[in-house]
Amino acid sequence: MTYHQLKEKITTTLIWCSALITVTFLLWVVWYILSNGLAYVDWQFISGNYTTIGQNSGIFPMIVSTLYMVIISIAIAAPIGITTAIYLTEYAKIGSRLVKVIRFCTESLAGIPSIIYGLFGMTFFVITLGFGYSILSGSLTLSILILPVIIRTTEEALMAVPHTFREGSFALGASKIYTIWRLILPSALPGIVTSIILSVGRVIGESAPVFLTAGMVARLPESVMDSGRTLTVHLYKLTQELYTIHEWQQAYATATVLIVLVLLINMATKLIARRFDNAHE
C-alpha cells in the first residue's frame, strides 16, 4: 500500500467515524427523550390547557404560541434574507464597500448572544413601539435573530449554481429578473429550504429572547398582540419546578412533543420544497 493510498484510507475512516459519532449522539438524545416522555403524552396532554392548580397539565396553548412564533418569524425574515442574498450574489459588485459592510453586519449579528436580542426586543418592540409582551414582539425579535442564518445559507446556495446557467439564459435573451426567478432560485431551492429549516429550529429552540418579549403567560393567545408561552419557555419553567414526579413527567412529555414538532415541521418544509422543485421542472 502506497503512502497516498494509506492517507486516503485514514481520511475516509476518520470521515466515517465522525459521521457515525454525530448520528449516534443524535439518536441517543432522541431515544433518551422519547423513552422517558412518550409514555406520558396523550391526547389530553396535547389538547388540554395548563394551570398551576390541580392536575391540568396540557400544553395546547404552548403549541399554538410556538406555531405563531415560527410562522410569523419565518414570514418576516425569509423574504428579507432571501432578497438580501440575491442582491449580494446577483447585483452587488464583488468586493465593493457596500457588500463588505452587509457581510460584516451579517457576521456580527450571527455572533451576538440571543439574550442581547431579547434585551433589544424588550426595549424597542415591547416598550418603545408599545407592542407590549406579545407574540408580535417575540416574532419580530426572532426574525432579526434568524436573518444571518437565512442570508448566509441562501447566499452559498445561490453561489453554488453554475455560472453557465446564467450565461446560457442571457444568451437566449432572457432578462436578469426572469433568469433569477425561473432558473437560479429553483436550482438553489434545496439550500434555501435548508436555511429555512435551520431557522425554524432556531426559533423553536430559543427561550431567552422569547420570555423577554413575548412573556410567559400559559394561555391560548387570541391574537398576535397577546402574550404567549412557547414550548421551550414552558419546558424552562417546568425545570425550575421539578419537585414531584408529576412535574418530571410533564417536563419529559413536553420535550417529547417539542422534538416531534421539529421533525414534523422539517418534513413538511422539505415536502413543500419538493413540490416547488417539481413544478419548476
Side-chain angles (χ1 to χ4, degrees), residues 23 29-30 35 44 60 65 102 113 151 153 177 192 229 253:
V23 174
V29 171
V30 173
S35 61
Q44 183 179 359
F60 183 70
S65 298
I102 294 175
I151 293 174
T153 309
I177 292 294
I192 297 174
R229 179 190 295 188

Side-chain angles (χ1 to χ4, degrees), residues 106-129:
T106 302
E107 293 170 359
S108 300
L109 284 174
I112 296 176
S114 60
I115 188 67
I116 304 299
Y117 286 98
L119 291 174
F120 167 78
M122 182 178 63
T123 303
F124 185 67
F125 297 121
V126 176
I127 299 175
T128 303
L129 297 184

